[in-house]
Each structure stands twice: as C-alpha cells, then as structure tokens.
Amino acid sequence: MSRSQRLLDLMQLLRRHRYPVTGAGLAAELGISLRTLYRDIATLQEQGAHIDGAPGLGYVLQPGFMLPPLMFSEDEVEALVLGSRWVAQRGDRRLGAAARDALAKIAAVLPPDLRDTLDASALLVGPGQPTVAEDGGLALIRQAIRSEHKLEIRYRDVGGAESVRTIWPFALGYFDRARVVVAWCELRQTFRHFRADRMIALADSGQRYPRRRQTLLKTWRETEGISTQ
C-alpha cells in the first residue's frame, strides 16, 4: 500500500469514529505499527487536519477538514453516482433536484480521469413503483425532522379510519411503494410508523419535541432490534 493511500485510509477511519479511538486500535485496523501511525497522524496534522489527542489518550478528527477531490477512489465515485441516481429517480422533486445538483458539483471538481468514471458509470437504478405522497408534504416532514419539531397530522389508516395526532418525527424511510415516517406518537405514547401518503393534512407545530432526534432514533433501533452496523 502506498503512503498516500494509507493516509487516506487513516482519514476515513478517523471519520467513522465520533469519539476518541486509541492509537493501538487505529494501527491494528490499518495493519501498521504504532510508530508508523504516529508519523502519519503528524503528517495529517501538518497538512491541516484537526486531529486532537495524544499517545495513550486516543485520537479524534474534528469536523471541517476537506479531502482533496482526487482522493476519491473509483468505487467511491460509483457509489456516489448510484446513490444520487436512486434519489433523483425515487425521491420527491426537491430531493431529486438536490441529488442532481450535488452530483454536478462533485463532477465539477473531479480530476479528468475520475470525471470520466462518473460520466461513464454503468450502475443503473431499475424502475420502481411510483409513490403518491405529495412533494410538499415530504419536504415539510424532512424539515421537521431536521428542526426536531412536532408535527400535527390528520391520518387515515389502512382501514379508512381517520385520527388527529401529534407526532415527533425523527426518521423517514424510503421504500419502493411508500415513504414511511418513524415517529413518537403522543396519542399512543409509543413509537409508530406512518405512511406519508396517508397523511391527509400535516402542519409543523413550531414546537421542539423534548428529546433529541439521535436519542429517539437510538431508542427506536433498540426497541425494534435494528442493528446500527
């Protein structure tokens, strides 16, 4: 492995850890010695990476350090293309336009050889069932999730019964035939899943719900037995 590839792998490894990780753990994952690891960390720090920590204490990468575009691998470029194409075809209009814009921005800064890889990617998204959820509703749901705001909804269940609820939305699942909001329901006092296309009306209450989105997501995963890996 070249030194440049090793430095890239180290950066990617640090990005995956939100909390300090020991030098021994990093060295073991990279298959290098501790001495080499310390040299590589010093090199990255000299290049502007905000890596906090010290031998024996662990290391953590602070946000803000941008990787040069040429450090994308071909596999990473294809993953970006495939993901963007999926969102462009299966997302609502605003999200689809954002995916296309993001891909165009990435293409604009890639070196020529990787730009060719992006343009010629043969990974395609197959046809899927169209959804009937309104674009404006999905945009409002995403904004409520980002803002950690309660939503007031009027909901029609599979049997046709309607109810008015206050929910704390913290995740939005994209399936071929439906978009599903994962939320805490104040009426039922538990987690519930709501199909976006069955929300007859919805409004942002402007009120923050009392728990953090990440905490709700973690608790829901534990309740449902969903792995975070």
Side-chain angles (χ1 to χ4, degrees):
M1 179 190 300
S2 67
R3 186 162 187 265
S4 60
Q5 182 62 49
R6 193 176 70 237
L7 292 174
L8 173 59
D9 290 347
L10 175 55
M11 284 293 301
Q12 297 296 83
L13 185 56
L14 286 167
R15 285 181 185 277
R16 292 201 297 268
H17 290 278
R18 298 178 58 186
Y19 302 101
V21 58
T22 66
L26 291 170
E29 289 198 54
L30 293 169
I32 60 177
S33 67
L34 266 176
R35 184 176 179 181
T36 299
L37 175 79
Y38 294 150
R39 284 202 308 265
D40 288 349
I41 286 178
T43 298
L44 289 174
Q45 288 172 330
E46 291 172 359
Q47 293 178 358
H50 299 154
I51 302 173
D52 293 338
L57 299 177
Y59 296 91
V60 63
L61 176 66
Q62 298 300 326
F65 182 70
M66 303 299 292
L67 288 174
L70 60 85
M71 296 182 80
F72 281 121
S73 69
E74 289 187 352
D75 285 343
E76 289 168 341
V77 169
E78 289 199 327
L80 289 169
V81 171
L82 182 60
S84 297
R85 286 176 176 173
W86 192 95
V87 174
Q89 290 191 28
R90 305 290 178 82
D92 56 84
R93 280 191 294 269
R94 286 183 60 179
L95 205 58
R100 288 187 288 270
D101 289 346
L103 198 59
K105 289 179 180 178
I106 292 171
V109 297
L110 285 175
D113 57 335
L114 287 182
R115 191 179 305 123
D116 291 342
T117 298
L118 184 149
D119 292 336
S121 176
L123 303 184
L124 306 176
V125 177
Q129 293 291 332
T131 60
V132 298
E134 295 183 358
D135 289 347
L138 290 175
L140 181 62
I141 291 167
R142 292 201 307 274
Q143 181 57 48
I145 291 172
R146 286 194 293 263
S147 304
E148 299 181 342
H149 280 188
K150 296 182 182 181
L151 279 178
E152 308 288 347
I153 68 170
R154 186 155 60 92
Y155 191 74
R156 180 182 294 127
D157 67 19
V158 66
E162 294 184 11
S163 60
V164 176
R165 311 198 185 199
T166 299
I167 64 173
W168 309 352
F170 58 87
L172 179 59
Y174 282 76
F175 299 87
D176 275 347
R177 300 190 180 187
R179 306 295 179 254
V180 178
V181 180
V182 187
W184 176 267
C185 177
E186 290 189 356
L187 178 65
R188 302 301 184 194
Q189 285 295 295
T190 189
F191 294 113
R192 283 288 188 266
H193 305 134
F194 301 93
R195 282 183 53 149
D197 57 316
R198 292 181 184 157
M199 292 182 178
I200 305 168
L202 67 160
D204 189 327
S205 70
Q207 299 178 346
R208 290 179 66 94
Y209 44 74
R211 299 175 66 187
R212 297 306 306 272
R213 181 178 70 243
Q214 293 89 341
T215 302
L216 288 168
L217 184 59
K218 181 176 183 293
T219 305
W220 170 74
R221 281 173 168 160
E222 292 170 349
T223 302
E224 298 291 324
I226 297 174
S227 172
T228 59
Q229 300 300 318

